[in-house]
Amino acid sequence: MDNIQSLSPELLQPLSEAVSSGYNGALLICGAFTGGGCSVIDNIIIKQVLENLFSHLLSNAEENLFISVSFLQFYPDGSAVDVLNPDKQTLKPVAHPILGKLIAGLCEVCVSSAQEAFTLYETCMVNLKSNTGPIFSRCSSLFSVTVELKLDPEESEICRNKLQLFSLAGGASRTDLRGVSPLVKVLDQTQCEATRDKPLPFLLNEALTGNSRTALVYCLHPQGKCSQEGTLLKVPLKP
């Protein structure tokens, strides 16, 4: 897909620059992750944004920089699993007064490069597809990169921000733009009390309404077919 190349200067680079400068960032990828060839689109976008982010972070060569990643998979029934620690039974959404909305007890793994982060992402996706079976194409996921910088080696003050990469299940065709996407549901149910304890609506709501630079990439497929010949809609939701 040729127009994937235009994502980097138009959308991904500014998002990576914002995160490397201390802002929270979120990228919502919709319509691409529905199995088959569309996972290629998803992977290309995520690999590119990780390369951009680490390029900015490591160019500053901060000695007190700590980078970690986490991975959540969301099921159609509203439940979620910690991909890096699948034996953990309870994932509790928590609204922290300083850190914002997060999932308590979520496992994080330290990484030192974009390649290391993307290899971990790819390995997890292969295992998920194998273990989840036919329901895999209906599951959404969130791969997060957390950046922590100790501002003063002698003090405990830490600057902490994150980049959230959402892959939202469902798709849309040129004749049906709504698709079956969690993004549509969370927009319809933003004020609904029943969704506040569900991990995916909880985190999506934070990305859309909280303190975050947020962008949306939506892949539209001709004739409703999943292929690499679709059209990408690129929308910076929050500057």
Side-chain angles (χ1 to χ4, degrees):
M1 181 182 289
D2 294 336
N3 56 2
I4 287 182
Q5 303 303 321
S6 67
L7 283 176
S8 187
E10 292 181 10
L11 206 65
L12 304 187
Q13 279 283 6
L15 185 62
S16 300
E17 290 172 2
V19 175
S20 64
S21 299
Y23 292 94
N24 289 326
L27 179 63
L28 281 55
I29 307 171
C30 305
F33 192 70
T34 54
C38 289
S39 60
V40 175
I41 299 172
D42 213 61
N43 288 353
I44 290 173
I45 294 173
I46 289 179
K47 184 177 183 180
Q48 185 64 64
V49 74
L50 288 174
E51 289 176 348
N52 292 345
L53 176 61
F54 275 82
S55 176
H56 285 294
L57 291 174
L58 299 181
S59 65
N60 296 325
E62 295 282 0
E63 293 184 1
N64 300 307
L65 187 67
F66 180 83
I67 307 173
S68 61
V69 298
S70 60
F71 203 165
L72 281 167
Q73 184 181 37
F74 307 100
Y75 289 91
D77 64 0
S79 63
V81 64
D82 183 346
V83 179
L84 299 178
N85 184 20
D87 293 331
K88 186 173 182 61
Q89 298 298 314
T90 304
L91 294 174
K92 183 179 180 181
V94 174
H96 191 279
I98 297 176
L99 302 178
K101 293 182 178 180
L102 49 84
I103 304 298
L106 186 63
C107 179
E108 296 186 42
V109 174
C110 180
V111 294
S112 58
S113 67
Q115 183 59 49
E116 189 175 346
F118 184 69
T119 298
L120 180 62
Y121 168 81
E122 273 194 313
T123 301
C124 288
M125 290 303 292
V126 170
N127 291 337
L128 284 173
K129 189 171 185 178
S130 175
N131 296 333
T132 310
I135 202 175
F136 178 72
S137 63
R138 297 172 56 204
C139 295
S140 298
S141 64
L142 168 60
F143 189 75
S144 299
V145 181
T146 300
V147 181
E148 294 185 1
L149 176 63
K150 195 168 185 179
L151 300 179
D152 187 339
E154 305 300 325
E155 303 290 337
S156 59
E157 187 176 2
I158 295 177
C159 176
R160 186 179 192 271
N161 60 305
K162 60 189 175 184
L163 172 63
Q164 296 178 304
L165 303 173
F166 290 91
S167 295
L168 302 179
S173 66
R174 295 181 184 275
T175 57
D176 179 13
L177 300 183
R178 288 179 63 85
V180 187
S181 171
L183 181 58
V184 174
K185 294 180 181 178
V186 76
L187 290 174
D188 289 342
Q189 302 173 357
T190 298
Q191 305 301 322
C192 180
E193 294 283 345
T195 64
R196 295 187 180 181
D197 62 343
K198 301 292 185 181
L200 181 54
F202 181 83
L203 295 170
L204 271 177
N205 185 59
E206 173 75 355
L208 293 169
T209 64
N211 182 24
S212 175
R213 301 285 181 93
T214 302
L216 166 70
V217 175
Y218 213 123
C219 185
L220 304 179
H221 307 290
Q223 289 80 48
K225 296 180 180 179
C226 183
S227 70
Q228 295 185 54
E229 302 302 323
T231 299
L232 291 180
L233 295 182
K234 299 154 283 186
V235 184
L237 299 180
K238 291 169 56 188

